[in-house]
Amino acid sequence: MRIRRTRAERPGRLRRAAGRLRGWGGVSAMAAACAVTAAAVLLPLGHSSPGTGHPGGVVHEPASVAAAPFTLTDTCQDPEASLRPSALDGPTIERIRKAGKLVAGVDQNSFKWGYRNPDGHLDGFDIDLVKAIAKDILGNEDAVIYRAIPTSQRVPALQEGRVDIVVRTMTINCKRLEDVAFSTAYFEAGQQVLAPKGSPITGYDASLKGRRVCTAAGSTGETALRSQGYGSVAVSVPNQLDCLVRLQLGEVDGIITDNALAAGQAAQDPSVQLVGAPFTREFYGVAMNKDASDLVRRVNKVLENYRAGGDQSPWATSYRKHFEDVLPKAAVPPAPKYREG
């Protein structure tokens, strides 16, 4: 029989769960754990500069999170195909240069991707890419205003002009292409199940029946679970880290997320592991406003250089730095696809 904890016991459980999180330091980990039971409000990770054209202040999670606005089955041809690269300046590039800052929507709590080190600085594979884009456009990799945004706010943040780019493990698909533009793919991943070691869950299959399964709102994993839940009980949260904390607290039995993200979570907590096989094939891209074609072409030019050089490329260097111990060492960046237009 499962014993339900009282609210009075919950702070102690939060402290124990926080102690199992790696990569942030004690205070930051505790804050992440407390975020599960608090309202989801993320502060910007930098200060707005005059004339950026982006409203300052806090990026808020909406009062109610709508269903993920996309499906698992893509209906367009080659969604990963993007505009051909160009180093020519356009109106978006000129605006960013005038502002003197690139405003980037990122995650700050996905270990290995976008997270705060114990010293408070942002680090991760996605952060390295943001710095490369800023260096190319502005000549300074630190000329960035980082804004922490929940998964479900990636598209609205671009549409409302709160950010110039989103580099946040964002999967390219046809439905999202109706709302935003994407660069060529910079990483390949797939949806998979993360569960405690010794769990009866064996993967994305009938073993999920009756189990509480956590996904981030607006994610591909949430859509998968809505499409085929195998009798599970869906639990939706603003950010992926919230799922890991809930798993540690025993409030959910498993997580569905990108296996690349899950590998980072497993690196934080060795008591969990990926189970079963990936059941999708997905590609991450840098997302931008649909009207910013010059920025799309410029980012694709940056990515051309970022991939170049084989084992000594900036892409490979960043991969080794962040994933050598948790993902296959033979990984290579996806080959770019281009379209006319």
Side-chain angles (χ1 to χ4, degrees), residues 5-261:
R5 304 288 185 186
T6 66
R7 293 192 179 188
E9 294 175 280
R10 189 163 290 186
R13 300 171 64 209
L14 283 169
R15 283 191 293 270
R16 290 192 295 274
R20 296 164 65 186
L21 288 171
R22 300 180 184 175
W24 288 273
V27 174
S28 299
M30 188 65 224
C34 292
V36 174
T37 53
V41 178
L42 291 175
L43 295 175
L45 301 182
H47 300 289
S48 298
S49 58
T52 61
H54 295 271
V58 178
V59 178
H60 294 279
E61 178 71 10
S64 60
V65 178
F70 53 89
T71 61
L72 286 175
T73 304
D74 278 332
T75 56
C76 62
Q77 186 176 4
D78 286 334
E80 293 87 28
S82 183
L83 296 174
R84 293 192 177 277
S86 173
L88 295 176
D89 294 346
T92 310
I93 299 295
E94 290 176 359
R95 177 183 57 75
I96 292 170
R97 282 194 174 145
K98 184 178 180 180
K101 296 285 186 179
L102 176 72
V103 185
V106 298
D107 200 347
Q108 67 169 348
N109 54 26
S110 286
F111 194 43
K112 303 292 187 179
W113 289 95
Y115 68 101
R116 284 197 178 276
N117 271 325
D119 63 5
H121 288 89
L122 278 172
D123 200 359
F125 190 85
D126 281 346
I127 305 303
D128 288 350
L129 180 52
V130 171
K131 290 179 177 180
I133 296 170
K135 185 174 182 179
D136 182 85
I137 296 174
L138 296 165
N140 180 2
E141 68 174 23
D142 295 322
V144 182
I145 295 175
Y146 292 101
R147 296 189 187 278
I149 52 175
T151 305
S152 61
Q153 287 292 289
R154 293 177 297 190
V155 169
L158 286 166
Q159 292 177 322
E160 296 165 11
R162 286 180 273 164
V163 296
D164 298 314
I165 60 174
V166 168
V167 187
R168 196 186 183 286
T169 58
M170 190 169 180
T171 301
I172 305 167
N173 61 40
C174 294
K175 186 61 180 177
R176 285 178 177 161
L177 283 169
E178 296 175 4
D179 300 316
V180 298
F182 279 99
S183 69
T184 54
Y186 68 86
F187 203 92
E188 181 178 346
Q191 295 292 308
Q192 202 167 348
V193 178
L194 186 72
K197 292 178 179 178
S199 166
I201 296 175
T202 57
Y204 184 61
D205 52 34
S207 66
L208 296 178
K209 185 176 182 180
R211 307 291 176 183
R212 296 159 300 173
V213 180
C214 188
T215 60
S219 67
T220 308
E222 184 186 51
T223 297
L225 206 61
R226 289 176 184 272
S227 175
Q228 172 58 275
Y230 291 103
S232 63
V233 178
V235 177
S236 181
V237 297
N239 290 292
Q240 292 291 352
L241 182 62
D242 299 336
C243 280
L244 179 59
V245 177
R246 285 182 183 270
L247 187 67
Q248 292 171 326
L249 294 176
E251 295 178 354
V252 299
D253 303 299
I255 301 168
I256 292 180
T257 186
D258 299 1
N259 52 7
L261 279 172

Side-chain angles (χ1 to χ4, degrees), residues 292-305:
S293 60
D294 61 321
L295 181 58
V296 175
R297 293 182 186 276
R298 189 56 167 267
V299 170
N300 284 339
K301 184 66 175 176
V302 174
L303 285 170
E304 268 197 342
N305 298 329

